[in-house]
Amino acid sequence: MTTINLKDFYAWYTHDEYIEVSDEVAAELKADKLYEVAHQRRTTRNKAQYSLDCDDGIEYSACLHEPTPQELLDRMELFVHLWNALNSLPEVQGVRVEAHLILGKSYRQIAREQGVDKSVVRRSVKRGMAAMKKYLKKVL
């Protein structure tokens, strides 16, 4: 059995978390990590050989960087604030805002599902977003 730190293998772990795994699993995780680093190095080194018109995403992946632990904490904090702002809305309004902004549903789809007019849903979402902005300004 080998003890590994999950923070070394998974970006969403912000603190050290040690677990025991079999030697085979530890070897595979380490090999995968080495493969990822090698792939990133090859992508970065060879990005000049690809055409910008190719549209295969190589330029985007070569320019990406791993977020720092502080960036991850900032994102998590922002997510918590947004979640609290959404939960501060009345239930029906919160469901409509979530369906439109998070699930990407149109006003017409939401209206059809809830059996109301499309304009009612549109007004509810706009008022909900305004209330969320007001809440976030107060908190932040």
Side-chain angles (χ1 to χ4, degrees):
M1 296 297 278
T2 305
T3 302
I4 63 166
N5 186 357
L6 292 176
K7 183 179 175 184
D8 295 338
F9 298 101
Y10 301 106
W12 57 84
Y13 280 91
T14 57
H15 62 282
D16 293 328
E17 177 115 9
Y18 296 98
I19 63 166
E20 278 194 19
V21 295
S22 65
D23 294 332
E24 295 85 16
V25 171
E28 283 297 319
L29 284 171
K30 288 178 184 174
D32 185 58
K33 188 71 168 175
L34 290 174
Y35 176 80
E36 285 180 19
V37 170
H39 174 72
Q40 182 64 34
R41 189 179 311 119
R42 280 192 310 273
T43 302
T44 303
R45 285 182 183 162
N46 298 321
K47 70 179 181 179
Q49 296 179 0
Y50 290 90
S51 167
L52 294 177
D53 298 331
C54 188
D55 199 26
D56 61 356
I58 191 73
E59 298 87 9
Y60 180 74
S61 66
C63 296
L64 282 180
H65 73 283
E66 287 292 321
T68 64
Q70 184 61 43
E71 289 173 335
L72 290 172
L73 287 173
D74 291 343
R75 286 182 195 172
M76 193 180 322
E77 185 178 328
L78 180 61
F79 176 78
V80 168
H81 287 306
L82 287 170
W83 185 258
N84 289 337
L86 183 62
N87 285 335
S88 71
L89 299 176
E91 185 178 352
V92 173
Q93 194 173 47
V95 167
R96 290 174 180 166
V97 169
E98 179 186 7
H100 183 67
L101 294 180
I102 298 173
L103 300 178
K105 293 183 179 181
S106 68
Y107 295 133
R108 177 173 283 131
Q109 286 176 311
I110 300 167
R112 212 176 299 131
E113 290 172 1
Q114 295 182 356
V116 295
D117 191 51
K118 183 174 82 168
S119 61
V120 172
V121 174
R122 186 182 323 104
R123 256 190 321 249
S124 179
V125 169
K126 288 186 187 238
R127 287 180 183 163
M129 288 172 52
M132 286 177 65
K133 285 179 187 177
K134 185 177 177 182
Y135 177 88
L136 290 171
K137 282 182 183 179
K138 183 175 67 172
V139 171
L140 301 176

